[in-house]
Amino acid sequence: MTDRQRALDAVRPRGRTGVEIGPLNRPLILREDGDVLYADHCSAEALARKYFGHDTVGVLRTEPIVDVDLILDGCTLAEALGPRAPVDYVVASHVFEHIPDAIGWLREIGSVLREDGTVFLAVPDKRFTFDFRRAPSTTGDLVAHHIAAARVASPAQVFEHAARTVKADMPAIWAGHGREPPPLFGNQLTDALALARKVAADGHYVDAHCTVYTPCSFLAVFREIIELDLIPFEVAGIAPTSLNQLEFFVTLRKRATVSPVERAGATPRLDPRLHHDLPEAPLPKDWRTRLALAWRVLRTGSTRAGGSEAHP
C-alpha cells in the first residue's frame, strides 16, 4: 500500500475539511480528494528557493511545490486557520520528528480538530535512517521540551542530531547486516558541540531530527503522554515499518471527552522483536548452522550471540 493510500484510508477526506502540514511537492491529500488546506512556514515561492536542488523535494520542474494556504511563520495553526477551524483531520509526513516540542505541537493541533478528528503521521523509523546510532526519545525528553516551551531545537537535540548522523544502508540493515554504519561527516563530535553551544548562546535555528523513534518506542512514549493527559488523543492505529521501508504510520484520534487512562489503555502493542530490535539475518542453508542457531534462540530468544536487544 502506498503512503498516499494509507493517508486516504485514515482521514477519508471526501466531504471533509483538513490540513496537510509541510507537503512540499508531494502532498498525500490532493485538492481533488476534498477540501484540504496546505500549511507550511513560508510561501511556495520561498520554499522553492530554499529547497532548490535538494534531494528531499526531487526535481521541482516536474513536481512543483503546492501552493501554501496557511503560512505558519510567527503564528499558530489556530491563528492561521481563523474562522475555518475546527477541521476534521490533519496530515503530516516526515514533519513530526522536526518539532522541538512535540507535545505542544499535538496540543495545538488538538485545539483546531473536531472531537473524533484524525491526525495521520508518517514517522521515520530510526533503525533504517541516518538516526541509526541515536537512542530512541523518551517520555522525559518530550516532557522536558514541553515544559520549556521549546520553539527551536534545543542544544541537546541539536547535539544528538549532529553527533550521531551516519550513512545508513537500509537494505543491508533489513538483511541483518549494516550494523556499523560510518559517520556522515568528519569531526562530528567536535562540530556537534560547537553547534550546540551556538544554539545555547543565541537561539540559533537548526533543522534537526528533534525526536527519534522505533514503532515500539513511539507507542511506549505516547502511552505515557496520553495517560498524563498531555494530549487529547488516543492512538487509533499504527502501521509498523514494512520490509525494506524506513517509515511507520500513526493514526491519532481526538477523544477529549474520554478519560486519559482509558485512552492510554487503548494504545496498540507490537512485538518488540519485530518492531524495535534490529532485523536478524536470514537463517543459513547449512543444517548444522541452523541447528546451532535454533539452540541459541531457545536459550536467548535471539539468533545473535549476545541475545536480544533491550526493549522500550
Side-chain angles (χ1 to χ4, degrees):
M1 183 184 294
T2 65
D3 298 1
R4 174 167 149 72
Q5 188 58 55
R6 290 186 190 278
L8 290 171
D9 290 348
V11 305
R12 301 189 181 280
R14 187 69 60 192
R16 309 176 79 194
T17 299
V19 175
E20 182 167 352
I21 300 174
L24 293 177
N25 62 334
R26 296 173 183 172
L28 295 179
I29 308 301
L30 304 180
R31 302 275 189 194
E32 56 262 34
D33 296 326
D35 184 13
V36 60
L37 299 166
Y38 296 135
D40 217 311
H41 66 279
C42 60
S43 68
E45 293 77 13
L47 289 168
R49 290 192 296 270
K50 176 180 178 179
Y51 288 107
F52 182 77
H54 197 287
D55 290 343
T56 301
V57 295
V59 182
L60 294 179
R61 287 173 296 185
T62 58
E63 299 177 67
I65 289 176
V66 297
D67 289 335
V68 177
D69 304 296
L70 306 171
I71 295 178
L72 304 179
D73 185 27
C75 70
T76 66
L77 181 58
E79 290 168 342
L81 278 168
R84 289 174 286 193
V87 297
D88 299 299
Y89 66 86
V90 173
V91 170
S93 177
H94 289 256
V95 172
F96 185 71
E97 65 276 12
H98 294 270
I99 306 299
D101 174 12
I103 294 172
W105 186 75
L106 287 172
R107 288 171 66 93
E108 182 181 327
I109 289 175
S111 73
V112 303
L113 268 184
R114 301 182 194 279
E115 184 70 0
D116 291 322
T118 302
V119 178
F120 178 80
L121 303 173
V123 183
D125 186 331
K126 66 163 288 288
R127 297 175 295 171
F128 308 109
T129 73
F130 56 70
D131 294 318
F132 179 90
R133 290 199 182 279
R134 291 183 63 180
S137 298
T138 67
T139 304
D141 293 331
L142 273 68
V143 168
H145 287 85
H146 179 56
I147 291 172
R151 303 301 298 174
V152 297
S154 70
Q157 290 170 333
V158 168
F159 180 85
E160 285 300 309
H161 175 83
R164 315 289 178 210
T165 303
V166 297
K167 298 177 182 176
D169 185 341
M170 182 184 69
I173 295 169
W174 270 112
H177 310 296
R179 298 301 191 256
E180 297 295 332
L184 194 58
F185 307 107
N187 303 313
Q188 278 188 213
L189 278 177
T190 303
D191 291 347
L193 178 59
L195 194 55
R197 282 176 169 159
K198 183 171 178 59
V199 171
D202 60 16
H204 178 68
Y205 169 75
V206 177
D207 184 12
H209 278 194
C210 297
T211 56
V212 297
Y213 308 92
T214 67
C216 278
S217 78
F218 184 98
L219 293 176
V221 165
F222 279 90
R223 187 179 297 114
E224 294 183 334
I225 297 295
I226 292 167
E227 186 173 345
L228 290 167
D229 202 20
L230 289 171
I231 58 175
F233 298 103
E234 69 177 13
V235 181
I238 185 167
T241 314
S242 299
L243 179 65
N244 292 324
Q245 300 299 311
L246 55 72
E247 63 193 349
F248 58 96
F249 304 91
V250 179
T251 302
L252 305 176
R253 181 166 293 114
K254 183 178 177 181
R255 300 193 69 198
T257 59
V258 177
S259 76
V261 171
E262 184 178 343
R263 285 187 279 117
T267 304
R269 294 184 181 273
L270 296 173
D271 185 343
R273 293 171 298 179
L274 299 176
H275 305 300
H276 181 73
D277 294 352
L278 292 171
E280 298 186 347
L283 291 176
K285 296 181 179 180
D286 176 67
W287 70 268
R288 293 181 180 84
T289 307
R290 290 171 66 94
L291 185 62
L293 288 174
W295 174 242
R296 183 183 296 163
V297 170
L298 287 174
R299 288 186 295 109
T300 70
S302 172
T303 60
R304 301 189 190 95
S308 181
E309 298 175 21
H311 298 162

